[in-house]
Amino acid sequence: MHKIPITPIMKPSEGSMGSTGTWRIVKPVVQHDKCTYCLQCWLHCPESAIVRVDEERKIIIDYNYCKGCGICSDVCPVKAIIMVEE
Ligand code: SF4
Ligand code: SF4
């Protein structure tokens, strides 16, 4: 199988207000059985919080920087990302 390396366009980092993960009131959760590995979520995340795909091709979100905006959930073509209250 062809392996696509996933490298963030930008690495997330703390700003003057600290880590954006502290802003979050809802959290994206990936339903891996639905994910088709299209990487639209990775492309659109404004915080570069979708950091990598693990060995099993699972999307990994860095919750230290995910601010819970829900863009990843909105752009996912198969609705594999649900937003849940924390
Ligand atoms: S909820 Fe927003 S910040 Fe968090 S992973 Fe999705 S697009 Fe990125
Ligand atoms: S947008 Fe949805 S289907 Fe595509 S990689 Fe992300 S979670 Fe998977």
Side-chain angles (χ1 to χ4, degrees):
M1 183 187 304
H2 182 64
K3 210 171 177 183
I4 302 171
I6 182 166
T7 308
I9 296 166
M10 291 170 56
K11 285 189 178 170
S13 61
E14 281 194 14
S16 58
M17 299 292 284
S19 155
T20 44
T22 61
W23 303 0
R24 196 177 59 247
I25 54 172
V26 285
K27 172 182 181 176
V29 175
V30 181
Q31 298 174 289
H32 298 290
D33 56 328
K34 288 188 178 174
C35 176
T36 58
Y37 190 56
C38 69
L39 300 180
Q40 287 296 315
C41 53
W42 169 72
L43 275 173
H44 287 85
C45 176
E47 298 299 327
S48 299
I50 296 172
V51 289
R52 68 185 175 88
V53 176
D54 73 8
E55 306 75 41
E56 296 174 347
R57 293 168 57 122
K58 287 184 180 169
I59 300 291
I60 305 294
I61 297 172
D62 184 342
Y63 290 113
N64 289 321
Y65 296 103
C66 166
K67 62 186 176 188
C69 67
I71 291 173
C72 55
S73 178
D74 287 345
V75 300
C76 177
V78 295
K79 301 296 173 211
I81 301 179
I82 55 169
M83 302 301 291
V84 297
E85 278 190 34
E86 297 210 72

